Amino acid sequence: MSQPEPQQTPFLPVYRRAETIMIRGEGVYLFDDQGKRYLDCSAGIAVNALGHSHSHVVAALQEQAGQLWHCSNNYTTRPLQLFAERLVEQSRLDGGVFFCSSGAEAIDTVIKFVRRTQYVEGSKKQRIITFHGGFHGRALSCISAGGNATAREGYAPLLPGFDQIAFNDLEAVKATITPETAAILLEPVQGEGGVYPADPAFLKGLRELCDTHGLLLCLDEVQCGYGRCGSLFTYDQYGVMPDIVACAKGIGNGFPLGAVITNQRVRKAITPGCHGSTYGSNPLAMAVGNAVLDMMLKPGFFAHVSEVGAHLKAALDAIQQEYPDSISQVRGFGLMLGLQMQLDARAFATELREAGLLVAPAYGDVIRFTPPLIITREEADQAVSILRECLAKH
Ligand SMILES: Cc1ncc(COP(=O)(O)O)c(C=O)c1O
């Protein structure tokens, strides 16, 4: 057996992990094993919507852990019944929800449900229109749908059936629709691609095109949804109803959980045995999902996201004016904000981390601010002052 190299880690190097060892989280802060405190404006890449160690979520998980962890999808559990009813009601999609354990699994499910719906309707439509800069996860189907070349490299043959075109270009969509087109899949706000919101007219136009041509409008709200942009579902900000929406990340606040919610049209195509997931609907995940929703549905929660988001964006806009050579643009809304850097975004994110601020780099030299949605104005101001200190050194 060959000897491992001296610096080799026991985990396969799919991530550029910092050497920092995180041991504890509280609210918007993370603490490493040296006792250093970090203001977490990444939130595990838009995941810890309620911050770290939220007492209501911790209590719900602990209580459920003492009752029932797993019992297979051959049975209904109380937390499943409750969470499903609440999510369907909130989504205003009348078909139902399928639970899974991650964003990639949710998107793979969306792709399957699109094909299945068209198949059951007796149509030959199978192709899905997706967009440059879109990111839908790491499963083979997801990288086939996604627009990230690095994520795809070396994995051919990809899943066929996707037509990728420019984001926010309605004319390009019109030109791409053929009798084989089954659906359009997009993130209302592209996340990994660099925080690019869909133009409201674009999303409305997509809905109209879908209605005209019998296509399914599928929204990937894994990153931008679940409160992040100022409402539970980001489509509510746009006034556009999808046929299918995929959720993950914030829905479980860090507990592995994904959901696909559909309308009646899709429901009609779903029969027992056509899909499944051993851990989907897991009672621990359902209890956490209910606890997260309890907090988000409290009066004022989403207004807080919009208010602190606007405050943070105004501060970032001001910094951009001060340092136009380092930051060329601020994009996004709610608490999903991106800085288009003129500096190496990864290297700068490392400088920020050393100064005690965690952010998430995105494709194309972008730095994302996706803090816990409970962040206060004062905490957002702290983040901005650390950013300013680091920019001043350049
Ligand atoms: C928009 C979007 N869709 C899907 C995914 C995949 O989610 P997961 O990493 O939970 O599989 C991500 C992850 O970043 C995402 O941002």
Side-chain angles (χ1 to χ4, degrees):
M1 213 172 93
S2 65
Q3 287 297 309
E5 290 166 28
Q7 273 99 24
Q8 184 171 309
T9 59
F11 13 85
L12 287 169
V14 296
Y15 300 110
R16 291 186 199 87
R17 288 181 195 273
E19 284 182 4
T20 316
I21 297 179
M22 296 297 184
I23 52 165
R24 191 167 69 81
E26 197 183 308
V28 294
Y29 295 104
L30 277 178
F31 298 84
D32 73 13
D33 63 345
Q34 307 299 307
K36 181 169 171 171
R37 188 178 85 158
Y38 302 84
L39 176 52
D40 186 5
C41 279
S42 158
I45 316 185
V47 169
N48 305 95
L50 302 179
H52 301 280
S53 309
H54 192 283
S55 58
H56 183 61
V57 183
V58 171
L61 182 62
Q62 283 173 342
E63 194 187 334
Q64 187 61 44
Q67 287 178 13
L68 180 64
W69 285 38
H70 180 79
C71 72
S72 100
N73 281 301
N74 292 329
Y75 310 98
T76 305
T77 67
R78 289 211 175 102
L80 162 64
Q81 180 79 34
L82 180 63
F83 191 37
E85 280 168 7
R86 295 172 83 194
L87 258 194
V88 169
E89 185 193 343
Q90 291 298 323
S91 71
R92 293 177 287 109
L93 286 163
D94 57 358
V97 55
F98 171 82
F99 290 112
C100 54
S101 307
S102 71
E105 199 186 351
I107 295 300
D108 190 69
T109 299
V110 169
I111 294 165
K112 286 181 72 181
F113 284 1
V114 163
R115 291 186 173 186
R116 173 99 185 161
T117 302
Q118 298 284 3
Y119 163 82
V120 169
E121 290 179 355
S123 115
K124 297 251 183 306
K125 294 171 187 277
Q126 288 176 345
R127 302 193 68 81
I128 301 180
I129 294 178
T130 60
F131 297 93
H132 298 320
F135 182 85
H136 301 291
R138 298 289 187 162
L140 195 61
S141 60
C142 304
I143 61 169
S144 305
N148 182 320
T150 312
R152 294 165 153 226
E153 191 184 345
Y155 295 114
L158 298 176
L159 191 73
F162 297 96
D163 296 310
Q164 263 186 31
I165 54 174
F167 191 57
N168 274 332
D169 184 345
L170 201 59
E171 291 309 312
V173 179
K174 285 181 192 161
T176 306
I177 293 173
T178 72
E180 290 179 11
T181 306
I184 300 174
L185 167 65
L186 76 156
E187 299 157 78
V189 183
Q190 290 189 337
E192 298 301 308
V195 188
Y196 288 96
D199 294 337
F202 178 66
L203 208 51
K204 285 207 171 78
L206 292 183
R207 178 69 271 173
E208 281 162 22
L209 286 173
C210 285
D211 291 341
T212 307
H213 296 275
L215 319 181
L216 293 151
L217 181 62
C218 309
L219 296 182
D220 178 345
E221 293 211 2
V222 166
Q223 185 162 152
C224 68
Y226 232 77
R228 183 140 299 279
C229 290
S231 52
L232 189 61
F233 297 94
T234 302
Y235 56 77
D236 284 331
Q237 309 262 326
Y238 284 88
V240 169
M241 283 301 286
D243 298 283
I244 309 180
V245 63
C247 306
K249 291 192 183 265
I251 192 174
N253 200 49
F255 198 93
L257 173 57
V260 175
I261 318 171
T262 82
N263 63 9
Q264 273 296 330
R265 178 176 172 196
V266 179
R267 185 189 180 97
K268 287 194 185 110
I270 308 300
T271 48
C274 79
H275 193 51
S277 169
T278 295
Y279 292 126
S281 317
N282 168 277
L284 297 173
M286 297 298 99
V288 169
N290 275 311
V292 171
L293 202 52
D294 290 342
M295 300 314 297
M296 288 200 182
L297 295 183
K298 281 197 188 294
F301 186 91
F302 300 122
H304 170 85
V305 174
S306 298
E307 196 263 315
V308 181
H311 175 76
L312 179 57
K313 186 159 190 211
L316 295 175
D317 278 332
I319 288 210
Q320 188 277 324
Q321 300 279 310
E322 263 177 75
Y323 295 96
D325 295 339
S326 300
I327 304 171
S328 57
Q329 200 183 24
V330 182
R331 291 190 292 267
F333 59 98
L335 285 168
M336 182 166 180
L337 299 170
L339 302 183
Q340 183 65 59
M341 303 302 293
Q342 300 296 99
L343 309 170
D344 176 331
R346 270 188 191 282
F348 189 62
T350 304
E351 288 172 40
L352 292 174
R353 188 186 73 233
E354 282 162 5
L357 174 65
L358 304 180
V359 293
Y363 191 72
D365 276 326
V366 171
I367 279 184
R368 260 172 303 176
F369 281 75
T370 54
L373 306 180
I374 52 152
I375 191 170
T376 62
R377 269 175 171 251
E378 294 68 35
E379 289 159 344
D381 290 342
Q382 271 174 40
V384 170
S385 54
I386 298 174
L387 175 67
R388 183 174 273 116
E389 275 163 33
C390 289
L391 283 168
K393 294 185 191 144
H394 282 267

